[in-house]
Amino acid sequence: MTPAESWVAIKALFETCSELPAPARERLIAASALDPASLAELQSLLAHHDAADRAGEFMVESAAQQLVEVSVLQGQRLGAWEIVRAIGSGGMGEVFEARRADGSFEGRAAVKLLKRGMDSAAVLQRFAQERHALARLNHPHIARLLDAGASEDGLPYFVLEYVDGQGIDLAVHHLALEQRLRLFLQLADAVAYAHRNLLVHRDLKPGNVLVDADGQVKLLDFGIAKALDPLEGHDGQTTVGGVRPYTPNYASPEQVRGEPVSTATDIYSMGVLLYQMLTGTRPTGRNALTPAEAARSVLEDEPTRPSRLSANEAPDPQWLSTRKRLVGDLDNILLKALEKTPERRYISVEALAADVTAYLEGRPVSARPASAVYVLGKFVKRNRWAVLVGLVGGTGLVTGLAATLVQGRLASALGVAGLAVGLGMAMVQGWRAERARARAEGHVAELRKLTNRVVFDYYDGVEPLPGSIKVREQMLADAVQYVRNVEPQVDNDPELAWELARIADRLARLQGSTYSEGLEKLQQAHESFEAALRLVDLASAGPVRDAERLLDCAVIVVSASLFDQRQGRLSPVAAPDPAVPPAPGQPRRRDTLSGLWHARQLIDRAAELQPSHPQMAVHLGTLRGRMGLLLGHGTSEINLGRWREAQAHLRASLDHMRHYAQCAPDNPDSSRQLAWALVNLASWERLCGDPAQGLDLVSEAIQAIDHAALLMPDNRTYSAMAGLMRTHLAAAKADAGDVDAAVADCDEALARLAASTAVDPDNAVSRRDTALISALQGRMLIEHGRATAALPPLRRACALLASLPDAGTDAYVTRWRAEAGAARARAELDGAGDATLAIKLVDETLRLLDTNQSTRSAPHAARIVRAQAEATAGAAWLRLGDAATAARRLDAAMAHWDAFERDGEPLPRALAARRTLTRAEQAEAQAMGRSGPPAAPGMPLQQDGWL
C-alpha cells in the first residue's frame, strides 16, 4: 500500500475509532488488517486524541488546557494573518478566525492549521492535497483560498475566505419551499463547477455547506476531495485494504462499500441534503446511534418517500404546509438522486439542478415519466389564464353554434365550428410542444453527461498515456458528431454553447496546436476553431453573470488567435497599433491581433464580475505574453517585428505568472506557466538585450518546468516540455560561447523526443520538434565554425520538415523549412565546399518563400531568411569566381537587412551582427571584381558569426 493509500485508511479508522468504546475499538482495529507501520500511526493518533479528551478530566483539565492553548495562539502571526479565536477542529487540523495584520487591507479569514502531532508524511501529503484542490477552484459559492504557508514551528496552514453562517439544514427552517430549492440550486452550481474541474467533494454534509447572512451558500472543506483517487489502480478497481473516509449519514452506498467513487457519489449526498432541507430529517438511518448503524442503513434501507413521512418523523416546523407539495415531482426527484445504484441516479449535477429548476418553473421533470396527462397538466397549470379564456371562448362558441343551428344559419354555424376546432387544435399543439421540449431537455442532459465524463474526464485520463493521440481524436470526433444532433438548441442555451465550445477547442488544439503534441491536421483544425469561435459568441452574448464562462471563452479565443498566427494571419492591416482596440461595431476578423483584443474584452468582463478570481493572473499573463510573441520575441516564429514594443508585454506577462505561481505553489500548471513566461522573455533578451540575463531566465525556467514535472511525474506533456526547455538553455549557452554544452543539451532533448515518437508514431508534433532541435543544433555549430559537424543535423531537419502534413501551407513550417534550408546551404558551402549545391538550396529556399502566401503578412520574418540565403549565394558565387553575380546577390542581402530600418525598427543586436558579416562579404566581392578571381575553390571565406 502506498503512503497515500495508508493515510486514507488510517484517517477513516481514526475518525470511526475515536467515537467507539475500547472493546469495539479493538475489534474494529483487529478487523482492519493494517500493516505494522499504519497500525503504529493509528495508535499514536488515538493516544493523542485520548490524552486530550480523557473521561473524568474533560471539564477540569482538558477545558482548562484548551483555554491555555487558545490563549497562546491568540495573537500569533501566520504570515500576514493574526489568529483571533478558535472556531473549529477536525481530524487533521484546527480552524481559527484570523485578521489581516500586515496593513495591506482589513479582512477576516479562516485559517486551517495542522494539529501538533499530526505532521507525519502521510498527513502532510493529505493536507497539501486539500490546499492543491482549493487552489484549482474559484466560484462564488465555494470558500476561496486566500493564502498558504507554514507556521514558525513548521506546521502547514492555509487561509480561506471567512464564512459567517450556519449549516444549510438549519438555515432553511423559516424559509418557504421555493426559497429552499433556490438555496439548493446555489449548492448544485458550486458542485457542478467542482466536477467540471475534475474534483469530487465526497463529504457533502450540512457542516460543509453554510449559508451566510445574505442568503449565499458557501461550500467548504475539500479535504477528502477526489482528483486522481490514490486507491484506484490502473484497472479502475479498488486497492485491497484501502478504506476511504466519509460521513456515514451522508455517504453513498459505493462509499460505504469502499468502491471507486465518481460524480454520482456527490449526487447521492446532495439528495440526502435536499431531503433534509425539505423535511428536516434524513432519508435513512434516522434512528441510528452509531456510525456503523448509519452505514448499514445506507446499504440496506430504502429511503422513505418524503411526502409519506409522518409529523413525528419530519421535525421541520413547516412540514404540514409543505408535505402535500412534495407529492409527485419532488418525491421523484429525491428518490432518483438517492438510488442505490449510481447508474440509476441523475447523470450529472446539472441534470439534477435542471429538474429542480423545472419544478420551480412549473415544467415537467425528467424524474417522472412524460405521460400525456402529466405533460398536459403541467401545460395547463403554467398557462391557466390562457386556458381559462380559451375554455370560456370555446363555451361561447359552442353556445353560438347551437343557437345558429336552431335558427337554420348553417353556413355561419360551420364557420363558428371551425373556430372551435382551431382552438382545440391549438391546445393540442401546445401540449405536443411541451412533450417535445421535455424530450429535448433529455437530449441536453445526455449531452452534458457526455461532455462531463467523456470529454473532460475520460479524455484527461487517457491523455498522458503513450500512443493515445488517435484514441483522443476519435473520442473528440465522436463528441462533435453527437453534438450535431442537438445543435439547433444551442441558440437558446448559452451554457450549452459554452460546453460545446470547449469540446471544439479541445479538438482543434489536438489537430493543430503549435506547442503541444498532436496530429498536425491544419485544415481540420481551422474548421474546428471556426466552430469554437461561433459557439463562443453565443456563450458570451448578452449580460453573462458567470466569470468562469467568460474566462473559458477567452482561453478559446486565445488558442484560435495562436493558430491564426501560425497561418500567417497576424493583423487586419499592414501596420496595426496593438495598443488601440478595434472600433465598436466592426465585424470581428480572423487574425491574431483581433483575437487577442477579443480575449481582452472577455477577461475585462470577467474581472468586473469577480476581480479577485485566483486564475485572473494567469489569464492576464497569457494575454500579455501572446501580445509580446505577436510583436516579436525571436526570429524563428513569424511576428510583426516590433521588438521594442514586445519587451513591456513580455515583462508584464512574467509579473503575472510569478504572482500566479506564488499563490498556487503546489499547482503544476502555475510552474508550467511561469516557465513559459520566463523563456519568452529570455528569447527577447538573447535577441535584443542582455544575453547573460537571457541565460539566467532560461535557467529559472528549467527549474520551474522540472518542478511541474516532479509534481506530475506521469504526465507526458510536462515531461516533454521539460525536455524542450533544454533547447532554450542550449541556445543561451551557445550565445555564451559554450557550444559543446549547447550541443549536449540538444542531444538530451532529441533523446526524449525519440522515446516519445517511438511509443506514439501518430504524434506528428514530435517529428516536427525533432526537426527544429536538429536545425537549432546545426545553426549553433555553423556559428562556432564547425560547419562540417552541422551537416548531419541540418540534412535531417530539412527532410523531416518537408515530410510534415500541410508543409506547403503552414506559415510556421514554411518559415522553419526556409530557415533550415538556408542554414544547410551555408553548411554545404563552408563544411563540404559544395558551392553549386549551396546555390541550388538557396534558390529552393527563396522559391518556397515566394510561393507561400501565408508568409506575406509578416514580410520581415521572410526578410531575415532571405538576407541570410542571399548572403550564402553571394559567398558561393565568390567561390565559383563569378564576382559580378556574387556582388548582385550580396547587394540583395544588404537590401533586406536595410529594409528593417526603413520600416522604422532598428535591427536587434543579434541580427545586426549578421548584417555586419554580410557587409564584409559584400566588400570582398567588390574587391574581387577589381582584382580578379579568388584563391583555390573550397576554401571557406568566413566561418564565424553567420547565425
Side-chain angles (χ1 to χ4, degrees):
M1 190 182 299
T2 68
E5 295 167 352
S6 298
W7 167 242
V8 174
I10 292 166
K11 184 176 187 292
L13 284 170
F14 168 72
E15 292 182 346
T16 302
C17 290
S18 61
E19 301 178 7
L20 297 177
R25 179 188 292 184
E26 292 174 2
R27 287 195 299 272
L28 181 60
I29 293 175
S32 68
L34 290 176
D35 60 84
S38 299
L39 179 61
E41 181 78 20
L42 174 63
Q43 290 172 337
S44 174
L45 293 175
L46 289 170
H48 280 85
H49 175 272
D50 294 343
D53 191 19
R54 290 190 296 273
E57 296 182 8
F58 177 76
M59 294 300 295
V60 178
E61 180 181 79
S62 183
Q65 181 64 27
Q66 287 177 1
L67 289 174
V68 170
E69 290 183 0
V70 170
S71 65
V72 170
L73 289 171
Q74 283 177 344
Q76 178 177 330
R77 287 283 294 269
L78 295 173
W81 303 90
E82 180 180 308
I83 291 179
V84 175
R85 63 184 180 95
I87 56 177
S89 180
M92 291 190 301
E94 296 171 306
V95 184
F96 300 90
E97 180 185 348
R99 67 177 185 86
R100 188 80 182 192
D102 62 355
S104 59
F105 64 88
E106 294 294 327
R108 301 168 74 191
V111 175
K112 187 168 184 179
L113 177 68
L114 189 67
K115 288 181 178 178
R116 286 187 177 86
M118 298 288 290
D119 50 342
S120 65
V123 179
L124 290 171
Q125 181 179 359
R126 175 62 57 181
F127 203 78
Q129 178 176 326
E130 180 175 2
R131 183 175 70 179
H132 178 56
L134 287 167
R136 293 168 56 183
L137 301 178
N138 183 74
H139 189 275
H141 298 304
I142 297 177
R144 291 180 294 118
L145 179 68
L146 302 177
D147 200 358
S151 66
E152 292 182 356
D153 49 356
L155 295 175
Y157 69 85
F158 51 81
V159 184
L160 297 168
E161 172 188 1
Y162 183 83
V163 181
D164 190 1
Q166 56 182 334
I168 197 169
D169 57 332
L170 300 177
V172 301
H173 275 183
H174 302 291
L175 299 180
L177 179 67
E178 289 80 6
Q179 292 173 302
R180 300 182 188 203
L181 293 175
R182 290 191 177 94
L183 278 181
F184 178 79
L185 288 176
Q186 292 184 30
L187 170 63
D189 193 40
V191 177
Y193 169 80
H195 289 180
R196 288 196 298 271
N197 282 272
L198 304 181
L199 283 174
V200 181
H201 190 284
R202 300 201 292 179
D203 197 22
L204 295 171
K205 58 186 179 183
N208 287 338
V209 184
L210 302 185
V211 181
D212 64 20
D214 296 325
Q216 297 298 302
V217 169
K218 291 289 184 179
L219 179 57
L220 312 174
D221 198 357
F222 277 79
I224 60 172
K226 172 186 181 288
L228 180 62
D229 193 337
L231 291 180
E232 287 180 10
H234 293 296
D235 58 356
Q237 302 301 313
T238 306
T239 302
V240 176
V243 181
R244 291 183 178 85
Y246 57 83
T247 303
N249 285 320
Y250 299 89
S252 65
E254 61 268 24
Q255 277 182 293
V256 174
R257 289 192 293 264
E259 297 171 353
V261 299
S262 66
T263 56
T265 301
D266 281 351
I267 292 170
Y268 183 92
S269 299
M270 291 177 70
V272 178
L273 279 173
L274 182 57
Y275 194 106
Q276 191 168 359
M277 290 170 65
L278 299 181
T279 68
T281 190
R282 296 187 299 273
T284 61
R286 291 186 289 276
N287 299 316
L289 300 178
T290 67
E293 291 178 2
R296 182 202 57 77
S297 70
V298 170
L299 295 176
E300 300 176 5
D301 297 348
E302 288 299 324
T304 305
R305 183 171 287 270
S307 63
R308 294 180 183 172
L309 289 171
S310 66
N312 293 330
E313 292 177 300
D316 181 71
Q318 301 187 47
W319 175 243
L320 294 179
S321 64
T322 60
R323 177 178 179 177
K324 291 182 179 179
R325 301 185 63 185
L326 301 181
V327 176
D329 286 351
L330 289 175
D331 272 347
N332 288 333
I333 289 172
L334 286 165
L335 293 179
K336 183 171 183 177
L338 294 168
E339 286 280 2
K340 302 290 187 188
T341 306
E343 290 76 15
R344 293 175 61 84
R345 296 175 205 149
Y346 284 96
I347 58 176
S348 67
V349 176
E350 289 93 342
L352 169 58
D355 261 6
V356 173
T357 302
Y359 173 83
L360 288 170
E361 295 175 353
R363 294 185 286 106
V365 302
S366 69
R368 189 169 177 177
S371 67
V373 174
Y374 170 64
V375 175
L376 183 59
K378 286 289 184 180
F379 176 80
V380 171
K381 285 182 180 179
R382 284 201 322 282
N383 302 278
R384 56 173 59 89
W385 287 109
V387 172
L388 179 60
V389 171
L391 288 174
V392 171
T395 303
L397 289 171
V398 172
T399 303
L401 173 62
T404 53
L405 284 171
V406 170
Q407 296 172 15
R409 297 172 184 172
L410 184 58
S412 298
L414 290 174
V416 174
L419 290 174
V421 171
L423 175 64
M425 291 180 65
M427 293 181 66
V428 170
Q429 288 173 353
W431 164 70
R432 287 176 175 171
E434 192 67 33
R435 293 196 69 180
R437 182 162 67 173
R439 286 194 299 270
E441 288 174 353
H443 285 307
V444 172
E446 287 297 322
L447 172 64
R448 287 176 176 166
K449 174 183 178 180
L450 176 74
T451 57
N452 286 326
R453 293 191 178 179
V454 176
V455 178
F456 302 114
D457 195 347
Y458 303 153
Y459 182 97
D460 288 334
V462 170
E463 185 174 16
L465 302 179
S468 67
I469 284 184
K470 281 293 186 183
V471 176
R472 286 186 280 141
E473 182 191 28
Q474 189 60 53
M475 291 172 69
L476 292 175
D478 289 346
V480 170
Q481 184 62 40
Y482 189 89
V483 163
R484 290 172 182 164
N485 296 331
V486 293
E487 195 167 3
Q489 303 171 50
V490 172
D491 288 345
N492 301 318
D493 191 341
E495 187 168 351
L496 177 59
W498 172 27
E499 293 180 1
L500 303 188
R502 295 168 71 201
I503 297 175
D505 174 60
R506 282 204 168 195
L507 180 59
R509 282 187 279 148
L510 180 67
Q511 291 166 334
S513 174
T514 305
Y515 296 110
S516 60
E517 61 179 23
L519 296 158
E520 293 290 272
K521 296 181 176 180
L522 302 185
Q523 180 56 40
Q524 294 173 342
H526 175 79
E527 295 170 0
S528 298
F529 273 126
E530 287 282 356
L533 291 174
R534 287 196 302 269
L535 291 162
V536 161
D537 287 340
L538 293 170
S540 60
V544 179
R545 305 303 301 169
D546 187 344
E548 197 68 31
R549 185 194 307 176
L550 293 171
L551 290 176
D552 276 350
C553 288
V555 169
I556 294 169
V557 173
V558 169
S559 294
S561 72
L562 177 60
F563 183 78
D564 289 334
Q565 185 173 355
R566 176 174 183 173
Q567 297 299 292
R569 296 184 292 270
L570 301 189
S571 63
V573 292
D577 186 351
V580 178
Q586 287 187 347
R588 189 171 299 122
R589 297 173 55 94
R590 275 299 305 272
D591 60 74
T592 309
L593 184 60
S594 299
L596 292 178
W597 271 113
H598 182 198
R600 178 56 188 264
Q601 292 165 355
L602 292 168
I603 293 173
D604 287 345
R605 289 171 62 189
E608 290 177 2
L609 294 173
Q610 201 171 349
S612 60
H613 193 296
Q615 297 287 312
M616 195 61 68
V618 69
H619 287 290
L620 291 171
T622 299
L623 190 68
R624 296 296 296 273
R626 290 297 175 201
M627 185 64 81
L629 297 181
L630 172 62
L631 290 168
H633 81 304
T635 62
S636 292
E637 297 172 4
I638 61 172
N639 51 61
L640 294 173
R642 299 169 68 163
W643 294 292
R644 290 177 300 180
E645 297 172 53
Q647 182 186 26
H649 290 281
L650 296 173
R651 290 192 181 279
S653 174
L654 181 55
D655 290 342
H656 285 302
M657 294 309 187
R658 286 196 191 281
H659 177 72
Y660 177 44
Q662 289 167 0
C663 292
D666 296 325
N667 186 343
D669 183 65
S670 70
S671 297
R672 179 181 67 87
Q673 299 284 9
L674 175 61
W676 175 77
L678 285 163
V679 84
N680 288 341
L681 184 57
S683 295
W684 187 94
E685 292 288 354
R686 289 181 45 242
L687 182 69
C688 306
D690 181 357
Q693 175 69 10
L695 179 58
D696 291 342
L697 290 167
V698 171
S699 299
E700 187 181 352
I702 295 288
Q703 293 176 357
I705 195 61
D706 284 350
H707 178 64
L710 182 64
L711 291 173
M712 299 283 285
D714 297 326
N715 189 299
R716 290 173 55 239
T717 300
Y718 289 146
S719 298
M721 286 187 65
L724 290 174
M725 284 289 179
R726 266 65 185 178
T727 63
H728 294 278
L729 183 63
K733 288 179 178 178
D735 287 345
D738 193 351
V739 67
D740 290 330
V743 169
D745 285 332
C746 287
D747 286 339
E748 179 185 349
L750 287 169
R752 295 193 185 207
L753 279 174
S756 177
T757 306
V759 299
D760 200 346
D762 294 316
N763 188 354
V765 172
S766 291
R767 297 198 304 275
R768 183 200 72 195
D769 289 342
T770 298
L772 296 181
I773 296 171
S774 298
L776 171 66
Q777 194 173 44
R779 294 199 309 272
M780 290 188 304
L781 287 166
I782 293 175
E783 182 178 0
H784 288 79
R786 294 160 64 175
T788 302
L791 278 170
L794 286 170
R795 289 168 178 167
R796 179 171 65 247
C798 290
L800 285 172
L801 287 170
S803 70
L804 288 177
D806 296 310
T809 59
D810 182 355
Y812 271 18
V813 173
T814 297
R815 175 69 174 78
W816 292 328
R817 285 180 66 191
E819 188 175 53
R824 181 189 168 192
R826 193 73 189 203
E828 297 287 357
L829 176 65
D830 290 347
D834 192 337
T836 302
L837 178 57
I839 293 170
K840 177 183 176 183
L841 291 171
V842 165
D843 291 342
E844 289 175 355
T845 295
L846 295 176
R847 279 196 299 272
L848 178 65
L849 293 173
D850 290 336
T851 57
N852 192 292
Q853 299 293 325
S854 61
T855 60
R856 294 187 179 179
S857 62
H860 77 280
R863 247 185 234 133
I864 296 171
V865 180
R866 289 180 187 277
Q868 296 172 163
E870 293 283 15
T872 297
W877 282 111
L878 280 175
R879 297 281 179 84
L880 296 174
D882 189 340
T885 304
R888 186 171 66 253
R889 302 300 292 263
L890 288 165
D891 288 345
M894 284 302 302
H896 287 304
W897 289 128
D898 294 341
F900 282 97
E901 294 186 353
R902 287 198 303 272
D903 290 344
E905 187 77 23
L907 274 176
R909 174 192 50 79
L911 296 183
R914 300 178 193 178
R915 181 175 62 175
T916 300
L917 175 60
T918 304
R919 182 176 288 115
E921 291 177 328
Q922 184 185 39
E924 188 168 354
Q926 292 170 353
M928 180 188 297
R930 293 191 299 268
S931 61
M939 295 297 292
L941 292 169
Q942 179 78 35
Q943 290 188 349
D944 296 331
W946 181 69
L947 287 175

